[in-house]
Amino acid sequence: DLFGSVEPLLPSLREDGVAVWVLGAGPYPPGVVALQELLDAASEELEPEDVWEPEDMNDTCLYIFTSGTTGAAGAGGWGVLAERGGAQLCFPLPGLPKAARVSHLKSIMCLSFYELVGASSRDVVYLALPLYHMAGSLLGIVGCLGIGATCVLKEKFSASQFWDDCRAEGVTVFQYIGELCRYLVNQPQRPGERQHGLRLAVGSGLRPDVWRSFQQRFGPVRIVETYGMSEGNVTLFNYTG
């Protein structure tokens, strides 16, 4: 779906020696690797460890795009919200999105994300977050691989279809960002919106008023709020609710 955005850049990417892989049947221009054909032809036997095992777990595994609001070099810098007695209260200004380095070690640590919040292989996880972001790809997809859970991928989040999806797919876990829950509580009330199997919602940015409204309206769903950063080395979990 994203290839149309990349195609105009192919000449400059080739000049810089950047390989372009696309998941899909094609056809694609010369120099673009269609992964689906290679996956279909690949053996299911695992290669020897020395072929795929990283030499250093701190080496780069992948790059993930961040919003650019970190205030670091290349981002938007810092704005001053208030100033008193020579001290300034600052906030990050929006900057251009940038690619943040993710190590092999950090990627592997994401395998345990759902286990840490109380999910298991019996769960069905509903994921509608963008996969170019760490929350969707590493915590969501890799997290499901880590516990062997079923992952229901939704191409685009729909507040009006959410509970129907949950019932149809047997969803038990929902990974959110806070505004998704606000969209749900702002929907008109419908019959049967408490008739679902959702037991756990996990994510970031859920405001207290939405948290309370969500549980009052949709039932005693356990909510675990987490906070981390693509470029950080600390993650917080609100286990107590």
Side-chain angles (χ1 to χ4, degrees):
D1 294 344
L2 301 178
F3 182 68
S5 301
V6 177
E7 191 168 11
L9 307 175
L10 285 176
S12 59
L13 292 174
R14 278 196 291 266
E15 288 179 8
D16 293 336
V18 176
V20 177
W21 298 346
V22 185
L23 190 60
Y28 298 109
V32 175
V33 179
L35 282 181
Q36 192 60 54
E37 298 173 4
L38 298 176
L39 289 171
D40 291 341
S43 169
E44 295 189 7
E45 294 295 322
L46 193 63
E47 292 289 327
E49 284 189 16
D50 59 355
V51 174
W52 52 264
E53 190 176 67
E55 292 184 9
D56 187 336
M57 293 302 292
N58 289 314
D59 285 347
T60 300
C61 174
L62 53 88
Y63 293 96
I64 211 82
F65 277 92
T66 71
S67 61
T69 56
T70 59
W78 294 91
V80 179
L81 189 63
E83 188 168 4
R84 179 178 294 177
Q88 293 180 331
L89 177 60
C90 299
F91 63 96
L93 293 171
L96 292 173
K98 62 184 183 302
R101 189 184 77 86
V102 178
S103 68
H104 293 285
L105 179 61
K106 191 165 188 174
S107 298
I108 287 176
M109 289 172 67
C110 293
L111 287 165
S112 61
F113 173 70
Y114 280 126
E115 185 177 4
L116 289 172
V117 298
S120 73
S121 61
R122 297 184 300 275
D123 280 304
V124 177
V125 181
Y126 188 91
L127 188 64
L129 303 180
L131 300 185
Y132 54 77
H133 192 274
M134 188 168 175
S137 56
L138 291 177
L139 300 183
I141 299 294
V142 174
C144 285
L145 293 174
I147 60 172
T150 299
C151 182
V152 176
L153 275 178
K154 182 77 171 180
E155 187 172 359
K156 184 178 181 181
F157 180 77
S158 170
S160 62
Q161 296 176 7
F162 177 78
W163 296 111
D164 290 339
D165 287 344
C166 286
R167 283 187 287 269
E169 304 294 342
V171 171
T172 58
V173 179
F174 169 44
Q175 187 180 344
Y176 67 81
I177 55 172
E179 288 305 289
L180 297 188
C181 298
R182 185 185 298 277
Y183 297 155
L184 291 172
V185 300
N186 285 344
Q187 282 285 299
Q189 288 196 340
R190 298 178 182 178
E193 60 185 22
R194 292 174 72 99
Q195 276 72 57
H196 55 78
L198 187 68
R199 67 174 189 87
L200 172 66
V202 56
S204 302
L206 186 56
R207 294 179 64 87
D209 58 325
V210 179
W211 185 318
R212 289 190 292 268
S213 299
F214 189 92
Q215 290 181 317
Q216 289 167 2
R217 180 168 167 184
F218 302 122
V221 178
R222 180 176 178 236
I223 295 174
V224 179
E225 178 81 2
T226 71
Y227 180 75
M229 292 182 292
S230 300
E231 297 167 279
N233 56 6
V234 173
T235 302
L236 306 177
F237 290 85
N238 182 355
Y239 283 115
T240 66

